[in-house]
Amino acid sequence: MSLLENQVAVVTGAGRGIGRAIALALAEAGADVACVSRTEANSRAAADEVESLGRRAWALAVDVGDAKAVDAAAADLLKETEGVHILVNNAGVTRDGLLMRMKEEDWDTVLDTNLKGAFLFTKALTRNFMKLRTGRIINVASVVGLMGNAGQANYAASKAGLVGFTKSVAKELASRSVTANVIAPGFIDTDMTSGLKEETREMARSHIPLGAFGQPSDIAAAAVFLAGPGAGYITGQVLTVDGGMVM
């Protein structure tokens, strides 16, 4: 039997980058996966890849910051399954800028997606986890949430908020054998980082003891571990996957 056989996972931000890598890694480990993305095209493309691995998939085009849309998607999914066992809150956006010039709209957009989205999906599936008396909640934050970064006050606040949110959820749900943990990626090669100037990339690389950027597969491997039986006694923790940037 595969590691995650007979389990259903929900992955937000599954349309590309780290989210897609996590969705596919969970499928390869045996899970059926609901692929959540803002657009129908991206969620469908990710779901098609999951199905190509022989697993069931659902394409959910949802704005994770929209409470009604999240509740409806979660309710529909629970009608089609015997329950959701794994939730990966990965959806994230950036709207970078110095604090003195940051628009309120840019603050709200980042917090609504990165932090409120995790709150909404976790809340929508909490009764399900309590009923199952098992579950894995994995929130994808960032080392920026641990150390801050000039020009990213909104992003850092959202990711730091995820840490406090996760620890609180871990304490609330521990009695039902539900774990909640954070993965904090460092500099990962994705669409979001590929557009940076080479001098910026070199500067970032100079702060990484392992001397290289991570890959989405590195984060996906951590997610599979935290979702699996070997992590059943780990909760409320922050796993940095960053090549040693934060230590």
Side-chain angles (χ1 to χ4, degrees):
M1 178 179 285
S2 300
L3 187 69
L4 302 177
E5 194 78 28
N6 299 321
Q7 297 197 37
V8 173
V10 173
V11 181
T12 71
R16 60 178 184 161
I18 289 172
R20 184 170 291 198
I22 291 173
L24 295 178
L26 293 174
E28 288 174 346
D32 299 325
V33 184
C35 300
V36 180
S37 185
R38 188 182 293 269
T39 69
E40 177 65 32
N42 283 350
S43 58
R44 185 69 262 168
D48 287 345
E49 288 192 68
V50 168
E51 289 175 345
S52 74
L53 296 172
R55 309 309 310 176
R56 285 191 301 167
W58 298 266
L60 305 179
V62 179
D63 175 355
V64 300
D66 183 332
K68 290 183 178 179
V70 170
D71 286 345
D76 288 345
L77 182 62
L78 291 173
K79 289 176 184 177
E80 297 184 32
T81 68
E82 295 181 1
V84 171
H85 308 83
I86 302 161
L87 169 63
V88 181
N89 288 305
N90 166 77
V93 297
T94 57
R95 295 291 187 275
D96 296 347
L98 293 176
L99 178 62
M100 64 183 295
R101 299 193 187 103
M102 185 173 289
K103 298 176 182 177
E104 183 178 357
E105 173 189 347
D106 291 337
W107 175 273
D108 290 344
T109 295
V110 171
L111 270 291
D112 281 352
T113 298
N114 300 7
L115 184 56
K116 184 181 177 182
F119 156 70
L120 291 176
F121 255 104
T122 303
K123 182 181 178 183
L125 292 172
T126 290
R127 289 187 185 276
N128 150 85
F129 287 130
M130 294 179 72
K131 181 179 178 180
L132 292 176
R133 300 192 70 86
T134 187
R136 299 282 192 270
I137 300 168
I138 302 166
N139 294 323
V140 180
S142 168
V143 294
V144 170
L146 305 178
M147 55 192 278
N149 194 34
Q152 288 193 306
N154 49 2
Y155 186 75
S158 71
K159 296 302 189 178
L162 271 179
V163 175
F165 172 72
T166 304
K167 289 178 179 290
S168 298
V169 170
K171 290 185 175 182
E172 288 189 19
L173 300 184
S175 65
R176 298 300 180 102
S177 299
V178 178
T179 67
N181 292 290
V182 174
I183 299 174
F187 203 110
I188 307 299
D189 264 329
T190 64
D191 293 343
M192 191 179 288
T193 59
S194 62
L196 295 176
K197 296 179 180 179
E198 187 55 36
E199 55 263 36
T200 303
R201 293 171 65 85
E202 282 301 320
M203 184 179 296
R205 191 179 287 112
S206 70
H207 293 292
I208 303 172
L210 286 180
F213 301 143
Q215 299 300 316
S217 58
D218 296 316
I219 310 306
V224 170
F225 166 67
L226 289 174
Y233 200 56
I234 300 172
T235 196
Q237 302 304 306
V238 179
L239 175 59
T240 56
V241 185
D242 63 354
M245 278 183 69
V246 179
M247 62 167 79

